[in-house]
Amino acid sequence: MIAIVKESATNDQLQHFVKWIEGRGFRTNVSRGENETVVGIIGDTTQIDPFLLESMDIIETVRRVSEPFKKANRKFHPEDTIVDCGHGVKIGGGNFQVMAGPCSVEGKNLIEIARCVKDAGATMLRGGAYKPRTSPYSYQGMGEKGLDLLLEASAELDMPIVTEVMDPRDVQLFVDKKIDVMQIGARNAQNFSLLKEVGKTKTPILLKRGMSGTIDELLMAAEYIMSEGNENVILCERGIRTFETRTRNTFDVNAIPVLHHLSHLPVVGDPSHSTGYTRYVRPAAYAATAAGADGLEIEVHNCPQEAWSDGAQALTPAQFADAMKRIALIREAVTADLDKE
Amino acid sequence: MIAIVKESATNDQLQHFVKWIEGRGFRTNVSRGENETVVGIIGDTTQIDPFLLESMDIIETVRRVSEPFKKANRKFHPEDTIVDCGHGVKIGGGNFQVMAGPCSVEGKNLIEIARCVKDAGATMLRGGAYKPRTSPYSYQGMGEKGLDLLLEASAELDMPIVTEVMDPRDVQLFVDKKIDVMQIGARNAQNFSLLKEVGKTKTPILLKRGMSGTIDELLMAAEYIMSEGNENVILCERGIRTFETRTRNTFDVNAIPVLHHLSHLPVVGDPSHSTGYTRYVRPAAYAATAAGADGLEIEVHNCPQEAWSDGAQALTPAQFADAMKRIALIREAVTADLDKE
Amino acid sequence: MIAIVKESATNDQLQHFVKWIEGRGFRTNVSRGENETVVGIIGDTTQIDPFLLESMDIIETVRRVSEPFKKANRKFHPEDTIVDCGHGVKIGGGNFQVMAGPCSVEGKNLIEIARCVKDAGATMLRGGAYKPRTSPYSYQGMGEKGLDLLLEASAELDMPIVTEVMDPRDVQLFVDKKIDVMQIGARNAQNFSLLKEVGKTKTPILLKRGMSGTIDELLMAAEYIMSEGNENVILCERGIRTFETRTRNTFDVNAIPVLHHLSHLPVVGDPSHSTGYTRYVRPAAYAATAAGADGLEIEVHNCPQEAWSDGAQALTPAQFADAMKRIALIREAVTADLDKE
Amino acid sequence: MIAIVKESATNDQLQHFVKWIEGRGFRTNVSRGENETVVGIIGDTTQIDPFLLESMDIIETVRRVSEPFKKANRKFHPEDTIVDCGHGVKIGGGNFQVMAGPCSVEGKNLIEIARCVKDAGATMLRGGAYKPRTSPYSYQGMGEKGLDLLLEASAELDMPIVTEVMDPRDVQLFVDKKIDVMQIGARNAQNFSLLKEVGKTKTPILLKRGMSGTIDELLMAAEYIMSEGNENVILCERGIRTFETRTRNTFDVNAIPVLHHLSHLPVVGDPSHSTGYTRYVRPAAYAATAAGADGLEIEVHNCPQEAWSDGAQALTPAQFADAMKRIALIREAVTADLDKE
C-alpha cells in the first residue's frame, strides 16, 4: 500500500505518520519526489482501510498495491481450480459445462425441459425454487417442492442441479437434500451472512456478480466463502448495471478474461440475464464462449402449447440445440492448438 | 401498461394477443398509429412482467404506465408519513432529525461521542454493532455487546438509537432488546428475506438505497417491508455507484425531491457514505438539507487523544457542532414562509 | 408517443391538452385506465421533446413509441447496408473485414506494420494522424504528414485506410487527399458540427460510440451524417464507461446484436479500446466476432527492437496472426448453415 | 507515478525497466515489499501514459501520484481565481452570481424574460443561439440573429451574457461581437479543437462537464483552454449520466466541493440540466448553493399566454423569484462567520 503525503506536511508530521504505521506492525519506505513524498507500507495491508489513511490531514491519497483477496488470488494458487459438481461433472481447468433449464421450476414440465437440454448437450440442470423478485407481489417460487422436483429430474437424468439459495436459514435444508450446486444470486452478492453460511458447507457454490459489483468485489465475495473453508466456488458474470437501457443489463464480457487473469476459480457466463431478451441470448452466449468462459448458464423453456409465455429471455429447445452446436465450434476455435495443425 | 405492437404483426396475431391479455383478467384499448399499434393494458398490471411481453414475437416494446409500488406510493397516500422513533422523536411531515454517532460501536467512548452529538443538537444516536465489511478479514463489529452499549447510552441520554441488522436470524434479538430503529444497509437493499423479516416487526426501519439501486427499487424494497405489515419506513439516500472515483460514492441529491414526489415516506440523507471523505461531508450535509431532506445521518467520532483514527469520513465533534448551526439555518431558508415576511 | 395524464387532471385540462396536441398537427387517441388516462399521440413525433410534455402540470410521464431515427432504422430499410471502402473492400451484409495498424502513425515503421497485418489477413489499414488526447501536454499526432504516410502505405499495399478526423475545418483536406474511410472518435460522438460536415461528403465514415453514448445516441449520430446525404456509415462499439476499473472501458458486446436489430448499417467491434490492455484484446476480439460483428478494428504494433513500447493495448504481429486464425474459425462457427451439414 | 512490478520479474528485467525509465529523464526509487516491488518515478510524469507502462510484461499496475493538470491545479495556485465577466460582474473568490434566462433565444420575449430575471436578482443573462440537439430534425437555434438579440438585451439591461459556441469556425464571430462569456456544452467537453480555439481568445469560458466526464477530465479540458493562454475558465457541474432514469441526469453535487479542493477556478451548478424537470430544479439549486457553488445557471421562461410551453425544465419568473430569496439565505448560512456572532 502506498500513501502519498501532501507537500504541505512538515517533517515532524511525516515522522509521526511513519511511526504510527510502524506501530501497527508494518515496515515503511519513504521516497521524496518533486511535489510529494510517497510512503510505501509493507506487510499484510489487507487489514488497513485506505479511506482511513486518506482522512488524515497530511495524506493526499492512498493506493493499494496488492489485491485484497488471497485465497481466490491466482498469485498464490497459479493452477486453475477444477470444481467437482457431482454426477461426474467437473468445471474449470479445461472442462467446459453448460447449465440449462427454466428460470423457475413450475411443475411437471421440468423433466421435459431437462430432457431437451440434456439431449442438446447440456451437462447440468438449472432451475429456481426460491426466487428473488423485485416486487413482493410477484411469484416467489415453489420453495421446497421445487427442490424435490429438481432432485427427481436429477436422479432420472443423472445430471447435477444448480439452484439458488436466498436465506441463511435455508442452507441446511439444501445440504440435507444434497443439492449439487447452490447458487448465490446477484442481489445477495454482498449478503455476508449468507456467504459465510454457505462457506461452512462443502457444496459447490455458483457465485453471481452483483448488479453493480466490481470484479474485485466479486472476488472478495468468493473470499468470504473460501475463508470459511469452502473452496468450491464458481464465479459467474451475469451483466452489470449501466446507463444503457436497450438491454436488461450490460454483459461485461471483459470480466471473463480479467477474472481468469486474477483468479484460479472457474468462470461462467450467463447470457440470459446479461441481455434480458431472447433475441440477444445466443450472440451473448457465443461471445462468452469466445472470451474463454469455462461454462454457460442459459435459460431454456419449452412451451409449444402456450406460444406466449416462453419467458422474456428463455431460448426454446430448438434455439438451444442450434446454439449448442455453434458453442462447441467456438470453444474449439479458441482452445485449438494452432501450432500443431 | 402499454404494449407497442410491431408493424409486421398481422391482424390475427394482434387479436390473439389481445385475447391472451384479456384472458388474464385485464381490459385492453387498441390504438393504431402510423407505424405501430399500441395496446393499452388496463387493470392491476403490477402482476405482469414487462420483459415477458417484450419477448413475444409481435411486440416491439412495453412501457409501464403506473408505478409498481402501492403502499409506498404518494398517489394512494397523499399526506406525509410521520414515523415515531421513540423517546419522543418523530421524523417526516415537517419534523427534521439528525442521527449522529460513530461508524462502529467501539467501547466506552460511545457515551462520550453520544453526549457531544446530543449537545450539538443531534436527536438520535447511530452506531454499528454488526458491520457489513467488503473483506472477511476486516473487523466485523462487536455484535450483541455493541447493542448493549448503544442501549446504555440511549437510556442515559434519552435518545433513540439506530443500528444495522444484517441477518434475518438476528431480527428477534433486536426486537427483544427494543432497539428503536433498525437500519437495513445498502448491501442488503435487495435481501428480500431480511426485508420480509423486519416487515413482520413494528420497529421503525431506516432503509438505505442500494449502491446501484434505482429510486424505484428503493421504493420496492420499502414495499416489501410494508406489505408484511410494518409501515414505519424511513428512506435513506447514501450515494450511488458511478464512474466518478474522486468520491467514494456519487451523492444523488436529486433523489431527495424525487422520493418526496413519489412517496409519502420520510427521506434522510447520509452525507458520510455519500462522499467518503471528511472534507466533503459538510457540503453534502448542507446540500441534503437544502434539497428538502427530513433528516441526516452523520458519522461523528471523537479522538483528541488518537489523532490519526478519526475515521475516513467522520466529523470531529467540533466540525459537527459548526455544521449543525448551518444546517439549522439552511433548514429555515428552505421551509420559511416567505410570503408572510 | 404516449402521454400519461395524472388522475388529478380535470376533464377540462385533458381537453385543453388534446386540443393543444392536435393544434400541432397530430392525431390523438385517449384511453382511460383505473388510475390514469393515456393519450396516444399519432404522427411524426420525432419533432416533439418528451421532456417538454412531462413538464406540463397534468402530465405524469411520456413514453416514446417509435425510435427517433429514420434513415438508420432497419424498419424502413430492412436489408443490410454494404459500405464500399475502396480498393475492392466491402463491409456489411455478410462481408467481414479486419482493420489493423498502429494507434498513431509514427513514421517509416508504418509500412512494416501494414505489411504484417496484411500478411495476417487484415484488409484495411488503420492509423491515427490527428490524435484526440485527454492531456494538452500529450503528443497530438503527425497531422497532414501522417495522412501522407498512410496514403503511401495504402498505395503500396492496395489497402483502404481508416483514419480519424477531429475538426470540421480538416474535412476538406481528407476529401482532397481521397482518404478511404474517415473515423469519428468517441469524444466527438456528439460533435454535431463535425457530424454535419462529414455528412456532406461521400466518404465512408467509421462512427464510434461515445464513452457514455447510448445505442440510440449512436444511431442519432449516424442519422446526423445520413440526413446530410452521406449514407456510408459504419457503426463501431468501442467500450463504454462504467464503474468497473479493471479495464479501460466496459466492452458492451450486447450492442452488436442490438445495433443489428435496430439498424441496417454495418457494425464493427474495437477490442483494443474496449479493454485497454494487450492481454485482454484477443478474448474481446473473439467475443465481438462471435456476437456477429461485421468487422474488427485492432491496434497492432511491431517493435522487436524496443521491447518497452508496444503500446498499452496493441498486439504484436505474432499475436495478431494467431488471433486472425481463430477469428476466421469463429466467424465460420456463427455463420455456418448448420442444416446443410 | 508508481509502477508495481510483478513478483515474477527477474532482477535483470527490473534493472532494464529502471534504466529505460531513467533514459527518459526521470529519477526512480525502488522499494521491495513482501509480494511486489514498487518503483517510484519522479519528475514531470504528466508526459507518461500509465497504460503504456501497464502493458509491459513485468508491470502489474501503475498509479498516478500527482494530478495530470497543472494550470488548473490549486496546488500551484492556492488562491481562488476571480473571473471578470464584464459589466462589472465578477465570479469566484467569494463572488456569487446567478445566470438565468431561456434555454433558447426565441425572439422578442427575450428582453421580457431578461427583465424578469434581473428584477429577481440574476446578474447574468443566459440564452442559446446555437443549440446542440440530439436529433438532426430538432430546432438548431437562431444562430447569429440570436446572438444579436442577446447583445441588445445585454446593452439595454447592462448585464453580461453567456451563450454556447459549438464550432471552432464560429469562435471569431463570438469574439468580434464581444460576447461576454462563451459556453462550452457538455457534448463538446472533449472537443479538443474547440477547446484550443477558445483558449486562444481572452473571453471568459463557462466550461460544462461532459455527460460521462470525470472530475479529472473536466479539469483537463480546462487545462486545454488555459494552456493556450486563456485562464478565464469557469467550471460547471450539470449532472452526469448514471443508471437512474427518474431524472434526466444525476446531479453530482459532491463535485462542487471536490472541484474547489482540487482547483482554484470558480464552480457553477446547473440545476436545470442536472434534473430535467421543473419540479426538481429548485431543490437542486438550493443544494448546489449549500454545497458551496460560486454561482448557478438556471433556465427561466415566461409564457403566461402559452401555458404549455414553459420548457421541460424551466422555472417561471415567479418560481425563480421565490427561489432567489431562498438561495440568498442559504448562501448566507454557508458563508456566515459563526464565531463572530
Side-chain angles (χ1 to χ4, degrees), chain A residues 136-190:
Chain A
Y137 310 121
S138 296
Y139 178 61
Q140 311 270 321
M142 293 184 81
E144 197 175 336
K145 270 192 196 172
L147 295 184
D148 291 335
L149 286 167
L150 282 163
L151 290 166
E152 271 175 45
S154 165
E156 186 158 336
L157 296 169
D158 189 24
M159 289 173 94
I161 55 173
V162 187
T163 191
E164 180 162 352
V165 63
M166 287 174 61
D167 191 316
R169 294 169 297 189
D170 293 335
V171 171
Q172 194 54 47
L173 176 74
F174 278 61
V175 170
D176 291 346
K177 288 197 178 270
K178 304 202 171 100
I179 298 300
D180 300 290
V181 180
M182 288 191 280
Q183 179 170 306
I184 302 290
R187 289 175 181 80
N188 286 314
Q190 294 196 310

Side-chain angles (χ1 to χ4, degrees), chain C residues 16 20 51 54 56 133 137 140 169 187 190-191 196-197 212 217 223-224 241 277 308 312, chain D residues 16 51 54-56 133 137 140 169 187 190-191 196-197 212 217 223-224 241 277 308 312:
Chain C
H16 187 171
W20 183 80
F51 285 99
E54 288 194 348
M56 297 181 188
R133 303 300 303 268
Y137 310 120
Q140 311 270 320
R169 294 169 296 190
R187 289 174 181 79
Q190 293 196 310
N191 179 339
K196 284 182 191 169
E197 202 67 30
S212 67
E217 284 172 345
E223 194 79 13
Y224 255 98
R241 180 163 279 176
Y277 294 95
W308 298 111
Chain D
H16 187 170
F51 284 99
E54 287 195 348
S55 74
M56 297 179 187
R133 305 299 303 267
Y137 310 121
Q140 312 269 321
R169 294 168 297 190
R187 289 174 181 80
Q190 293 197 310
N191 179 341
K196 285 182 189 171
E197 203 65 31
S212 67
E217 283 172 347
E223 194 78 15
Y224 255 98
R241 181 163 278 176
Y277 294 94
W308 297 112

Side-chain angles (χ1 to χ4, degrees), chain B residues 122-307:
Chain B
T123 46
M124 299 173 73
L125 176 64
R126 63 141 290 147
Y130 295 85
K131 302 294 305 170
R133 304 300 303 267
T134 307
S135 166
Y137 310 121
S138 298
Y139 177 60
Q140 312 270 320
M142 293 185 82
E144 199 175 334
K145 271 191 195 172
L147 295 184
D148 291 334
L149 285 167
L150 283 164
L151 290 166
E152 273 174 44
S154 165
E156 187 157 336
L157 297 168
D158 188 25
M159 288 173 96
I161 55 173
V162 187
T163 192
E164 179 162 351
V165 63
M166 287 173 63
D167 191 315
R169 294 168 296 189
D170 294 335
V171 171
Q172 192 55 47
L173 177 73
F174 279 61
V175 171
D176 290 346
K177 288 197 178 273
K178 304 207 172 96
I179 298 300
D180 300 292
V181 179
M182 289 191 278
Q183 179 171 305
I184 301 290
R187 289 175 181 80
N188 286 315
Q190 294 197 310
N191 179 341
F192 301 124
S193 298
L194 182 61
L195 295 173
K196 284 181 190 170
E197 202 66 30
V198 300
K200 289 175 193 148
T201 75
K202 290 291 167 210
T203 308
I205 305 300
L206 181 68
L207 177 64
K208 296 210 155 185
R209 183 179 182 181
M211 226 169 287
S212 66
T214 60
I215 288 172
D216 283 62
E217 284 172 346
L218 173 57
L219 290 169
M220 289 309 288
E223 194 79 15
Y224 255 98
I225 298 170
M226 297 171 90
S227 71
E228 294 287 335
N230 185 352
E231 307 216 340
N232 300 307
V233 179
I234 304 161
L235 305 171
C236 181
E237 163 61 32
R238 46 77 71 204
I240 57 172
R241 180 163 278 174
T242 71
F243 58 82
E244 181 55 57
T245 57
R246 281 277 176 192
T247 47
R248 197 169 197 165
N249 291 292
T250 295
F251 186 25
D252 183 7
V253 77
N254 286 347
I256 295 169
V258 174
L259 285 167
H260 276 147
H261 178 70
L262 295 173
S263 178
H264 50 89
L265 298 171
V267 180
V268 158
D270 169 351
S272 308
H273 288 88
S274 290
T275 57
Y277 294 94
T278 298
R279 76 171 79 94
Y280 305 133
V281 170
R282 281 181 288 177
Y286 304 155
T289 308
D294 298 300
L296 299 171
E297 188 179 24
I298 303 183
E299 293 186 7
V300 176
H301 200 284
N302 75 325
C303 295
Q305 73 284 12
E306 164 59 291

Side-chain angles (χ1 to χ4, degrees), chain C residues 16-36:
Chain C
H16 187 171
F17 174 70
V18 164
K19 242 172 107 178
W20 183 80
I21 289 286
E22 293 182 346
R24 267 149 183 71
F26 299 96
R27 284 187 299 123
T28 59
N29 172 300
V30 179
S31 143
R32 292 175 181 282
E34 315 247 293
N35 297 312
E36 54 279 293

